[in-house]
Amino acid sequence: MKPKLLSFFLPTLIGLLSGCAVYVPTVPSTPLLRSKGEVEITAGTRGTSSLEVGAAWSPAPGLLLAAETALQTSKGSETSNNVTVNYQNVHRQAGLGVGTYRLLGKDQATYLAAIGGIGFAKASVYDPNFELLFFSGPTVHYRANYRRYYGQVYVARQLKRISFGTSLRGTFVDYSRLRRDEVAVEPSSRFFLEPTVFIRVGRGVIQGQATFGLSAAVGADSRSPDYRNLTPVSSLIGAGIVIRPHLFHLPQTVLAPK
């Protein structure tokens, strides 16, 4: 592989696999509420270490309110001079959003929505291989508090037993505190593009959903020593369930669009 291609793909691969990112995106929420009073509750995992829970409500026709919370934890250890140090990475966040939705087409089976919001996060993560790719290096500790402002559009096709669609979210990360070993640092980019595709299966109160995509910083410098931790390319692969409590007392014939 040519050196230029290697310099691009290697940081990208490492970013996808890295568990020590300071900014951790949530799986984009894609509620499919169709009328006033409908509610959706979601619960799922992103990767193997992140638990995410969300809710969406339509208080008025075409109006969408959403909330989410996420917790990611992982453990690791470093051995140096026959001494082993254990550490734990923790990332907590919550967010609120407001948006609108429209049903398109004669059968109203095409769903178009837009949502914007704000999230709050706190991170404490360690990198045992700072600045080094394949060799043991000094463990560094990142601490961060930040707000994330996001805008998202998504479109879906709703059939009787399956729905599928695509989403594009843009996120701006605003750090109120960002330190590496108690020294203030700055990321080379704060804006992330996050495209995904999703599929939902089922027509009743409980449905299953899977999402596939990625999050990538726009204009990030891969040569920066903080690249993997502050501006990583992250996978957005999640699976979970969707609970629609407004359908508990509805007959089966009206649970899905025709």
Side-chain angles (χ1 to χ4, degrees):
M1 183 177 290
K2 295 181 179 180
K4 289 185 177 180
L5 291 177
L6 182 63
S7 65
F8 173 78
F9 286 110
L10 191 56
T12 299
L13 177 60
I14 293 172
L16 286 168
L17 299 176
S18 176
C20 47
V22 176
Y23 166 63
V24 175
T26 58
V27 173
S29 176
T30 52
L32 299 177
L33 306 178
R34 298 177 60 86
S35 61
K36 176 184 176 180
E38 292 192 357
V39 175
E40 287 188 356
I41 301 170
T42 60
T45 60
R46 172 182 171 267
T48 59
S49 60
S50 182
L51 175 64
E52 301 183 3
V53 178
W57 172 47
S58 179
L63 179 61
L64 174 66
L65 302 179
E68 65 177 3
T69 184
L71 172 65
Q72 176 173 299
T73 62
S74 61
K75 295 181 179 181
S77 63
E78 181 198 16
T79 301
S80 179
N81 297 324
N82 295 322
V83 177
T84 299
V85 177
N86 298 314
Y87 57 84
Q88 183 174 27
N89 301 317
V90 180
H91 197 287
R92 298 181 177 90
Q93 58 182 309
L96 297 171
V98 59
T100 184
Y101 61 89
R102 295 290 183 271
L103 305 175
L104 306 177
K106 183 178 296 186
D107 57 0
Q108 293 194 324
T110 299
Y111 192 94
L112 179 64
I115 187 169
I118 182 173
F120 303 89
K122 184 175 183 179
S124 173
V125 296
Y126 294 80
D127 184 355
N129 296 300
F130 180 70
E131 292 187 324
L132 299 175
L133 298 182
F134 302 110
F135 303 97
S136 177
T139 298
V140 299
H141 184 201
Y142 289 90
R143 292 182 182 270
N145 297 332
Y146 64 82
R147 294 177 295 273
R148 59 180 180 89
Y149 303 94
Y150 70 91
Q152 176 188 352
V153 294
Y154 62 98
V155 61
R157 182 68 176 174
Q158 292 183 281
L159 305 178
K160 282 188 177 181
R161 298 185 182 278
I162 189 171
S163 300
F164 55 89
T166 185
S167 166
L168 178 63
R169 183 175 68 187
T171 301
F172 179 78
V173 180
D174 181 22
Y175 290 98
S176 59
R177 179 192 185 196
L178 177 57
R179 299 189 181 278
R180 184 212 315 137
D181 288 338
E182 302 306 323
V183 177
V185 293
E186 289 288 333
S188 59
S189 176
R190 296 172 181 262
F191 184 74
F192 293 78
L193 280 179
E194 297 163 343
T196 57
V197 295
F198 61 91
I199 185 170
R200 187 185 291 192
V201 179
R203 59 175 299 184
V205 176
I206 299 178
Q207 299 180 338
Q209 179 164 308
T211 303
F212 307 89
L214 58 83
S215 170
V218 177
D221 184 0
S222 62
R223 298 168 298 180
S224 168
D226 296 296
Y227 174 78
R228 292 187 301 119
N229 303 298
L230 300 186
T231 52
V233 177
S234 305
S235 65
L236 284 172
I237 300 176
I241 61 171
V242 181
I243 302 173
R244 304 191 293 170
H246 61 276
L247 297 182
F248 275 118
H249 303 295
L250 293 182
Q252 192 73 10
T253 55
V254 298
L255 292 185
K258 295 181 179 179

